[in-house]
Amino acid sequence: MQFGSVAFFKVLIKTVLCILFFVPLVLCVVFAVLLWNSNQKQEQLTQDNQKLEYYAEILSGEREPTVKGFYDIYQRSGLSDDDLVEYILHGKEPSAQAIADDPGTEESAPRTTSPQESAEDPTVDTQEPASVTQEPQSLYADIYPEMTVSAPDESDYVREEGTVYLTFDDGPSENTYSILSYLEQYNIKATFFVVPTRTESCYKKLRAIADAGHTIGVHSASHVYKDIYSSVEAYLEDFHEAWEIIYEATGIRTEIFRFPGGSVNDFNADTRDHIIQEMTRRGFRFFDWNVDSNDAGGANWTDMYNSIPRDIAVNYRSVVLMHDSASTPNTVLVLGDVLQVLVNEGYKFDKINNDTKPVQFTGPFA
């Protein structure tokens, strides 16, 4: 091919056209990647700033102190919320005796005398002064009065060492059947805290979860924090909707639940204690977690494959937070590999049962 020939110019034109097409394409891809990384960093920076502002409000007294953001410091200490806040604000460490006397710890939880025991014990005075007016049992007793279950005696709680409780929030989803398949492959039972809808697809998946022998608990019906935590009444309404759907689909009156965002979050500081008191009165038990897969935070396969077994290894027993949702596809990708590692390391697995001792942020840690 000679310089200046027709063939030469054809090749030259093709080369120029390829450059004009591919160079902008490559540049677009590069800029897209850079922009995505920038957005990720900006989002993380925004979240960090929000946390700093939140902590600053606590330290300045503008916000009611809670253990939000601080509980990791004494994650397995058994300290009460007040002791933890006192430590953060004033650097005052509670004495060993204070810890031993803390009613929030498992070992020293006070035992109240039931009416039946009082009746059997002649030394217990069950007479009340005639002038004392009985308070109503609950301000919310007339709201869905049928929504009650039988709570187990806390003395019967099981807290088995080395047991792993896998939990999946936010389902059912398009990933539910894949998760069930992996669990069946390793003969493992798990717990699903669901956000159900009144659709036939959801009903089928709920039945599939129940038929496979897994536990189903309420997560919420809407998962809209600002609405469900706006009042106790709002929480009961949302909970009742999810509770009824589970019953309609499976015939199960579930007795357990998980707060959206966990029992301690930025949205429920004003209503959390009242909600817990009312739900406990009705016999329900809530479960938080002590191992977070961070799948909802965007953890990839490598992150979860390394972090989940590592975090489980330092716990007496582990309640693992994972998600069954369309936005967490990496959970499905890593689940089989993580299960293989944990099985090889000899861990026991169980679903949350009626007698499982709860892991709760606002109570004793596991």
Side-chain angles (χ1 to χ4, degrees):
M1 179 175 62
Q2 296 182 347
F3 178 80
S5 65
V6 174
F8 172 80
F9 282 108
K10 286 183 178 180
V11 173
L12 179 61
I13 291 171
K14 290 180 180 179
T15 302
V16 171
L17 290 176
C18 287
I19 293 174
L20 292 176
F21 175 78
F22 285 107
V23 169
L25 179 62
V26 171
L27 290 176
C28 287
V29 172
V30 171
F31 282 121
V33 172
L34 292 176
L35 180 61
W36 183 84
N37 287 334
S38 176
N39 290 338
Q40 289 290 99
K41 292 179 181 179
Q42 183 63 37
E43 182 179 351
Q44 183 61 46
L45 181 61
T46 300
Q47 292 177 355
D48 291 343
N49 288 338
Q50 289 175 347
K51 290 180 180 179
L52 289 173
E53 292 175 1
Y54 180 81
Y55 301 152
E57 290 176 0
I58 291 178
L59 295 175
S60 65
E62 295 178 6
R63 180 188 290 268
E64 179 184 357
T66 71
V67 295
K68 173 63 179 174
F70 295 130
Y71 72 85
D72 285 335
I73 298 173
Y74 279 160
Q75 185 175 13
R76 282 171 290 277
S77 69
L79 296 180
S80 69
D81 296 354
D82 292 338
D83 286 332
L84 182 55
V85 172
E86 184 70 13
Y87 176 77
I88 296 299
L89 294 179
H90 306 296
K92 178 182 178 182
E93 296 191 40
S95 65
Q97 183 61 38
I99 296 176
D101 294 340
D102 178 16
T105 60
E106 290 180 293
E107 290 74 17
S108 61
R111 182 173 180 273
T112 58
T113 304
S114 68
Q116 291 82 356
E117 292 172 323
S118 299
E120 295 171 0
D121 187 352
T123 64
V124 177
D125 183 10
T126 60
Q127 298 282 341
E128 292 190 7
S131 60
V132 175
T133 303
Q134 288 282 6
E135 294 295 328
Q137 183 181 22
S138 168
L139 295 174
Y140 314 102
D142 294 334
I143 302 176
Y144 306 116
E146 79 287 356
M147 192 170 70
T148 60
V149 294
S150 299
D153 190 319
E154 292 189 10
S155 63
D156 295 330
Y157 276 149
V158 174
R159 184 173 179 266
E160 293 187 357
E161 181 178 4
T163 300
V164 175
Y165 298 89
L166 299 175
T167 67
F168 298 89
D169 287 7
D170 296 354
S173 76
E174 61 190 38
N175 294 324
T176 300
Y177 291 125
S178 296
I179 292 173
L180 291 176
S181 177
Y182 280 118
L183 295 174
E184 181 181 12
Q185 178 181 343
Y186 289 93
N187 192 29
I188 291 172
K189 302 304 179 186
T191 304
F192 291 76
F193 292 101
V194 299
V195 183
T197 58
R198 294 185 181 277
T199 64
E200 185 55 34
S201 173
C202 177
Y203 280 40
K204 287 182 179 179
K205 291 169 183 174
L206 289 174
R207 285 193 289 269
I209 294 171
D211 291 344
H214 304 292
T215 297
I216 299 178
V218 170
H219 197 33
S220 78
S222 66
H223 212 276
V224 180
Y225 291 18
K226 64 181 181 63
D227 292 339
I228 63 178
Y229 292 132
S230 61
S231 67
V232 177
E233 293 89 343
Y235 186 85
L236 291 174
E237 181 177 355
D238 180 274
F239 186 97
H240 182 263
E241 173 70 4
W243 193 65
E244 279 292 293
I245 293 175
I246 294 171
Y247 176 73
E248 291 171 4
T250 66
I252 296 172
R253 291 293 193 189
T254 184
E255 303 172 351
I256 64 172
F257 68 102
R258 172 171 285 163
F259 285 100
S263 62
V264 179
N265 61 71
D266 291 345
F267 292 87
N268 68 2
D270 295 332
T271 57
R272 175 179 62 248
D273 292 343
H274 300 294
I275 293 172
I276 291 175
Q277 182 180 18
E278 177 60 19
M279 296 303 292
T280 301
R281 183 190 71 81
R282 293 170 180 257
F284 294 98
R285 300 171 308 288
F286 68 94
F287 287 77
D288 290 313
W289 58 89
N290 55 12
V291 175
D292 186 355
S293 69
N294 198 33
D295 54 354
N300 58 32
W301 185 95
T302 303
D303 295 333
M304 288 189 280
Y305 183 80
N306 291 325
S307 70
I308 295 175
R310 180 190 65 222
D311 294 345
I312 286 175
V314 301
N315 287 326
Y316 179 91
R317 57 167 184 161
S318 297
V319 176
V320 184
L321 171 65
M322 306 181 84
H323 289 81
D324 171 15
S325 69
S327 62
T328 55
N330 288 335
T331 304
V332 176
L333 296 179
V334 78
L335 183 58
D337 298 308
V338 168
L339 293 181
Q340 183 65 66
V341 170
L342 298 177
V343 168
N344 290 344
E345 292 181 357
Y347 286 103
K348 298 178 293 183
F349 295 86
D350 203 355
K351 60 184 179 180
I352 293 175
N353 297 296
N354 187 56
D355 59 357
T356 303
K357 182 173 181 58
V359 169
Q360 298 172 345
F361 294 159
T362 57
F365 289 92

